[in-house]
């Protein structure tokens, strides 16, 4: 089952990559300015590092959207995501996230998809430091001049 899922995920990434390559020249500038860049990606993770989801709400679209996180598996809206993640983050007293140099950003008109690995260092309330890297795939949509996340997938490698 895991292999089947991994193959589907790889095929999805290849299809998106091919689509982005052929339509790059069609990318249009919007009132939001240029497409998100690595600095914008880092601002999102700096917001998460505050351990308060309300500091990242401005980056996410409202309404029905799918967000996959490490735990639990899936959220169907920003409201659901914010509530669920708040509970997970309440077990930590500090966090630092760094978008690694492998960030790849693919503009395509009013959509942008990006991938990166993100280094994390989190200290739980008992003082234990947890460190690692996880994968991040994100889809932005230009909504009324703002680049908002309409889909996100965060996952960690199997141990």
């Amino acid at each position: 089952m895991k292999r089947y899922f991994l193959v589907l995920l790889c095929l999805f990434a290849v299809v998106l990559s091919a689509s982005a390559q052929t339509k790059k020249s069609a990318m249009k500038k919007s009132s939001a300015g240029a497409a998100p860049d690595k600095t914008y990606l880092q601002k999102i993770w700096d917001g998460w590092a505050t351990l308060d989801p309300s500091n990242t709400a401005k980056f996410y679209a409202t309404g029905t959207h799918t967000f996959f996180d490490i735990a639990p598996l899936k959220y169907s809206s920003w409201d659901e995501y914010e509530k669920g993640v708040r509970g997970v983050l309440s077990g930590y007293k500090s966090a630092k996230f760094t978008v690694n140099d492998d960030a790849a950003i693919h503009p395509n008109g009013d959509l942008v998809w990006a991938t990166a690995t993100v280094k994390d260092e989190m200290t739980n309330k008992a003082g234990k430091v947890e460190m690692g890297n996880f994968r991040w795939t994100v889809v932005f949509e230009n909504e009324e001049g703002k680049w908002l996340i309409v889909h996100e997938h965060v996952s960690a490698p199997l141990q």
Side-chain angles (χ1 to χ4, degrees), residues 39-127:
T39 301
Y40 189 73
L41 301 181
Q42 185 61 55
K43 284 181 184 179
I44 295 166
W45 285 103
D46 290 345
W48 282 115
T50 67
L51 302 176
D52 182 355
S54 64
N55 291 325
T56 58
K58 64 185 173 190
F59 298 108
Y60 288 81
T62 58
T64 305
H65 297 286
T66 302
F67 306 107
F68 294 113
D69 205 343
I70 294 172
L73 181 64
K74 175 183 172 184
Y75 298 102
S76 297
S77 69
W78 168 251
D79 291 337
E80 197 177 288
Y81 195 13
E82 181 177 27
K83 182 180 176 185
V85 172
R86 187 174 301 281
V88 172
L89 295 177
S90 68
Y92 293 89
K93 63 180 180 179
S94 69
K96 180 179 179 182
F97 302 103
T98 305
V99 176
N100 293 320
D101 289 336
D102 63 353
I105 300 164
H106 309 278
N108 187 14
D110 280 338
L111 293 174
V112 171
W113 66 278
T115 61
T117 57
V118 178
K119 179 181 176 186
D120 68 288
E121 182 176 322
M122 300 178 73
T123 305
N124 67 23
K125 292 214 171 160

